Amino acid sequence: MPIPTNDLRPIVQALQGGHPREAEALARARLAAGVHDRSGLTLLALALQAQDRAGEALAVHAELTRRYPHEPLEWNNFGTMLRQCGQLEDAARAYRRGLELAPGHAGLLLNAGLLENERGDPVGALECFMRAHAADPRSLELRIHAALANIQCGEVPLAQELVGGWAAWEPVAPEHLLDLGWALGMVGQTADAEALLRRALEEPVDAVSAQARLAMLLERNNRLDEARALVDGLPAPAAQMPTALRNDIVSAQAALAIRESEPAGARALLEGMLAQADGPVVRMNVLFLLARACDRLDDRRAAMESLGEAHRLQTAIAARLEPEIAVPGYEPLKRAARYLDAARFAAWPRLAPAADPATPVFIVGFPRSGTTLLEQVLDAHPGLSSMDERAFLQDLIEHMRSAWGLDYPDGLGELDAARCDELRALYASRVAATGCHRPGTRLVDKNPLNILRLPLIMRLFPDAPIILALRHPCDVILSCYMQNFRTSVFALLCSTLETLARGYVNAMNFWIHHAAFMRPNACVLRYEELIGDFPGHVRRLADLLGLDDVEPMLRYHEHARGKGYISTPSYAQVVQPPNRKAVDRWRRYADDFAPILPILAPLLEHWGYAD
C-alpha cells in the first residue's frame, strides 16, 4: 500500500533505523508526487549524507537556500555541507549570509568558528566561538570550544574562567570528554584532566586520541614511565587517519622522545608532521618542538631556522589579537616599566607595619633566570609553600587604577594605611583561592616579572625578602627564544633575539634604578654560582629566611617530582639534581648573538659577565 505523500514519519523511521537507501527512495517518491516541502528536502539530504554522497546532498542544500533564502538554518546547513566537500571559501560566504540574517545564532557561530580553524585562522575562530558562547552561555560545547580557542591564541586566563568550574556543570556528555579533558590540562587542572581523559579512553571514537593526549599530560607532569606505556600502545601514524588523530599520535611520540634523549627520532617524527601540518598554530607548535630536537642534535642552523619561522607565526597571531603591539619599535617591557624617582619615593607617607609579620618571600628576575629552580628549592622546605606563577601583584596595580584612579608607580605615595590594607587583603584572598598556600607556612611568590613591581612590593611589604635570580644574560635570552610562551606580550618580547635583548635591558635597568634608593631586603643569587656550590648557597638562602633545616631544600628535585604539574617551561629540569647543562649554552650560538652583544654590553659589565 503506498504511503501518503504528506507523511514524513516513514522517512524518519527509515533514517533512525539505519536504512538511508529506503529513506532516500521514500523522499524521492514524495518529490515525484509533486511534494517539494522543506522538511522532505532536508530528509533527502540527510539520507544522501548517510550514504556518503556528499556532492548530491550539497545540491539539495543549495536548492533549499534558493527556496528559503531568508532562513538562517538553511545557510548553516549549506555551509556545513560545503565544508564537508572542501569548498571552504564558499562555506564562509554561506555562514556570513546566515549570520547577516541571524547575527547571534549560536549554531551558525559555532560552525563558522570550526571553519576558521580549518582555514588556519585561530583568531577568527576565537571571535566566532566567543560570540557563540555569549549567545548561549549555558552550552557546554560552546564553552569548551571557546576555551580551546583561547588556549590556541595564548589567552590562558580566560580559558581557565571558561572551564574552571566544570565540576558544577550538568554531567559531561561522552563526546565532550576528550576536548574538556585537554582544555583542563592546558590550564593546569591536571587531576581533573586526567580523570576525564581516562573516561574518554572508554569511548570508541575518541579512544586513541585520548590515549595520546593522556600520554602528553603525564609527560607534562613528569610521569614518564606511565607516559611511555601509553605511547607504546599507540598505533603508528598513518596517512589515512584523520589529521587531528595523526597529529595527536606524533606529538605524544615526539614529546616523549625528546624527554628520553632520543632527539633524532623526535626530529624525524616532527619533520614528517610539519610536511602535512595545516594552520599556523599546528605549524608553530611543531616548529618549537623541532627546534628543541635540533638543538639536542647540535644542528644549530636548523634550530634557529625553526625558531625563526615559529616566532613569525606566533607574532602574526599576537598582532591580530592586539594590533597595538605590531607598531614598529614597540617594546612591551619598556611600556610596563614606568620609573619612580628618588624624591617621590622619599615623600611617601610613613605607614605602620603590616599586621601580619609573615610577609611573602618574592622571587624575581627575568624569565629563564633560574626562578623556578629557586621556587622549588624553597617550596621543598616544610615551613614554606609556593603557589606556582601568578600575576597577583599586577592585579593589585589594576585595582589601584580601577578603584581609585591611581596610576602605577606614581600613585603609590597616595596609598594610605587603609588602602594598603585593602590591597594586602585582596592579595591574600587571591592567594587563598589558589589552594596552594599550606596553612602555617610562609608564602613564596615566584613571578619573574615582579621585578617590574618592586615599588609596589616596597609599599605593601617593605621588609619582605626578595631574591633576585641572575643568570648570564645571553643564556637567559637564548632560553627565552626557544620557549613557546603563549601570551601576546611574551610572543612579541621573544619574537627576535634583539627584542629579547632590549626587553632584558629594560627590566634590569628598572631594578637597578629603583633598588639603588629603595634598598630592598634583597639577595642577589647567580645561577652559575648556585649550581657551582649548591649546598653553600642553599645555606645562604636559609640564613636569609631564618630557616634551620636545609636538608629538604637540598633534595628539592625529589619534592618537585612529587608535585606533578609545574606550570613553567622548566618543569622537566627542576625534577633533576643540580647540574651545569644549561650553563654557557649560548656560546654554541655565538654568531647569532654577535649583533646583540652591544645592546647587552652595559649589563654584562654591571653584572660581571663582560668576559
Side-chain angles (χ1 to χ4, degrees):
M1 177 178 177
I3 64 166
T5 56
N6 62 347
D7 189 353
L8 296 170
R9 286 173 297 175
I11 307 176
V12 173
Q13 290 168 357
L15 280 171
Q16 292 176 338
H19 305 293
R21 288 188 180 182
E22 179 184 342
E24 178 193 355
L26 292 170
R28 291 195 184 281
R30 295 180 83 256
L31 292 173
V35 183
H36 290 260
D37 63 317
R38 184 179 176 190
S39 298
L41 286 169
T42 301
L43 290 170
L44 174 60
L46 291 173
L48 293 168
Q49 287 173 241
Q51 298 175 71
D52 294 325
R53 292 157 61 186
E56 295 173 71
L58 178 62
V60 176
H61 282 298
E63 176 65 21
L64 281 162
T65 60
R66 285 191 289 272
R67 289 174 178 268
Y68 307 98
H70 301 296
E71 291 292 340
L73 181 60
E74 300 306 340
W75 290 103
N76 186 26
N77 293 339
F78 185 40
T80 300
M81 280 308 306
L82 286 164
R83 272 177 53 214
Q84 187 174 329
C85 293
Q87 300 178 41
L88 302 188
E89 295 304 319
D90 290 337
R93 283 190 285 272
Y95 289 142
R96 280 198 296 272
R97 177 57 184 145
L99 287 169
E100 288 170 3
L101 297 167
H105 191 290
L108 268 163
L109 288 164
L110 168 63
N111 285 322
L114 295 172
L115 172 65
E116 294 307 320
N117 269 338
E118 290 179 41
R119 298 169 80 196
D121 183 359
V123 180
L126 173 61
E127 179 184 349
C128 290
F129 290 138
M130 289 302 290
R131 287 174 59 195
H133 167 62
D136 186 5
R138 296 178 59 84
S139 168
L140 307 188
E141 180 182 15
L142 297 180
R143 187 177 286 269
I144 293 166
H145 277 296
L148 290 170
N150 275 286
I151 290 166
Q152 279 201 110
C153 292
E155 302 295 327
V156 176
L158 185 50
Q160 170 70 47
E161 290 180 24
L162 286 163
V163 297
W166 76 274
W169 303 348
E170 62 190 65
V172 180
E175 62 267 25
H176 299 323
L177 292 170
L178 179 68
D179 284 340
L180 177 57
W182 187 242
L184 290 171
M186 295 296 282
V187 300
Q189 293 186 221
T190 54
D192 291 342
E194 180 178 350
L196 291 176
L197 289 174
R198 289 196 182 279
R199 284 172 56 190
L201 288 172
E202 306 302 318
E203 301 299 324
V205 173
D206 292 328
V208 178
S209 278
Q211 185 174 338
R213 294 188 188 186
L214 181 57
M216 287 187 273
L217 180 73
L218 294 173
E219 182 274 327
R220 187 64 182 75
N221 283 268
N222 294 307
R223 293 160 60 183
L224 300 186
D225 291 341
E226 296 171 78
R228 168 49 63 193
L230 287 168
V231 167
D232 286 345
L234 289 171
Q240 65 269 24
M241 287 180 174
T243 302
L245 175 59
R246 188 170 63 247
N247 288 348
D248 283 342
I249 293 172
V250 173
S251 297
Q253 292 173 332
L256 200 56
I258 290 174
R259 285 296 297 274
E260 294 176 339
S261 300
E262 297 177 4
R267 180 176 185 172
L269 287 165
L270 292 166
E271 287 178 338
M273 183 174 172
L274 189 63
Q276 303 177 47
D278 292 325
V281 174
V282 174
R283 289 189 63 83
M284 177 187 75
N285 291 334
V286 173
L287 285 161
F288 275 116
L289 274 176
L290 180 59
R292 287 172 57 191
C294 292
D295 176 67
R296 299 280 181 88
L297 292 166
D298 203 30
D299 190 342
R300 288 160 283 177
R301 289 305 94 214
M304 281 295 174
E305 288 171 6
S306 295
L307 288 168
E309 185 179 348
H311 282 293
R312 283 191 291 274
L313 292 169
Q314 191 174 54
T315 304
I317 295 170
R320 284 196 57 199
L321 285 167
E322 300 184 43
E324 67 273 13
I325 73 175
V327 175
Y330 179 88
E331 295 184 30
L333 297 191
K334 187 173 183 179
R335 299 287 183 91
R338 293 178 59 186
Y339 281 36
L340 188 74
D341 62 50
R344 191 181 288 268
F345 171 69
W348 282 1
R350 293 190 177 275
L351 302 175
D356 183 2
T359 57
V361 178
F362 293 97
I363 300 175
V364 304
F366 201 81
R368 309 300 296 159
S369 292
T371 55
T372 303
L373 171 61
L374 289 171
E375 176 194 20
Q376 298 309 315
V377 168
L378 296 183
D379 188 67
H381 192 282
L384 302 172
S385 60
S386 70
M387 58 179 178
D388 221 342
E389 198 165 298
R390 311 282 177 162
F392 291 157
L393 290 185
Q394 183 59 35
D395 291 346
L396 302 189
I397 291 171
E398 297 300 327
H399 185 78
M400 283 175 54
R401 184 178 297 115
S402 62
W404 305 317
L406 299 178
D407 286 331
Y408 173 80
D410 293 342
L412 290 171
E414 298 182 46
L415 296 178
D416 57 18
R419 284 178 170 178
C420 285
D421 285 342
E422 181 176 333
L423 290 176
R424 283 189 287 262
L426 177 59
Y427 178 82
S429 70
R430 297 291 175 90
V431 171
T434 67
C436 299
H437 186 204
R438 300 189 299 273
T441 61
R442 190 174 192 178
L443 175 69
V444 176
D445 184 341
K446 185 273 292 186
N447 186 315
L449 290 184
N450 278 345
I451 194 173
L452 301 178
R453 294 146 197 154
L454 176 61
L456 179 64
I457 296 173
M458 295 299 294
R459 191 58 173 152
L460 299 182
F461 307 104
D463 299 321
I466 304 175
I467 303 168
L468 173 65
L470 278 186
R471 184 182 175 196
H472 194 296
C474 293
D475 274 334
V476 169
I477 288 166
L478 176 63
S479 187
C480 284
Y481 190 59
M482 289 188 164
Q483 302 309 316
N484 185 4
F485 290 117
R486 294 185 176 274
T487 65
S488 298
V489 169
F490 268 93
L492 180 66
L493 177 66
C494 299
S495 58
T496 68
L497 292 175
E498 181 179 346
T499 58
L500 269 165
R502 296 192 185 282
Y504 181 90
V505 169
N506 288 332
M508 287 302 176
N509 280 341
F510 186 90
W511 171 272
I512 293 166
H513 168 82
H514 291 91
F517 58 84
M518 289 185 165
R519 302 190 180 281
N521 179 21
C523 166
V524 178
L525 193 55
R526 295 174 184 269
Y527 179 82
E528 298 84 0
E529 293 176 355
L530 175 64
I531 297 301
D533 179 14
F534 189 69
H537 284 285
V538 168
R539 178 72 262 172
R540 180 185 170 203
L541 282 175
D543 291 342
L544 173 71
L545 302 176
L547 304 172
D548 293 326
D549 184 13
V550 300
E551 192 60 32
M553 299 161 74
L554 297 175
R555 301 195 309 273
Y556 73 92
H557 52 286
E558 298 172 5
H559 175 75
R561 190 176 294 115
K563 287 181 69 173
Y565 183 76
I566 296 169
S567 69
T568 66
S570 303
Y571 72 92
Q573 287 77 48
V574 295
V575 296
Q576 301 172 7
N579 60 74
R580 294 186 58 83
K581 292 179 182 177
V583 175
D584 278 347
R585 283 180 69 204
W586 76 275
R587 296 188 187 278
R588 296 165 50 222
Y589 295 88
D591 291 346
D592 299 283
F593 275 79
I596 68 168
L597 289 178
I599 299 171
L600 296 170
L603 285 174
L604 289 168
E605 181 70 30
H606 179 87
W607 296 124
Y609 289 109
D611 64 327

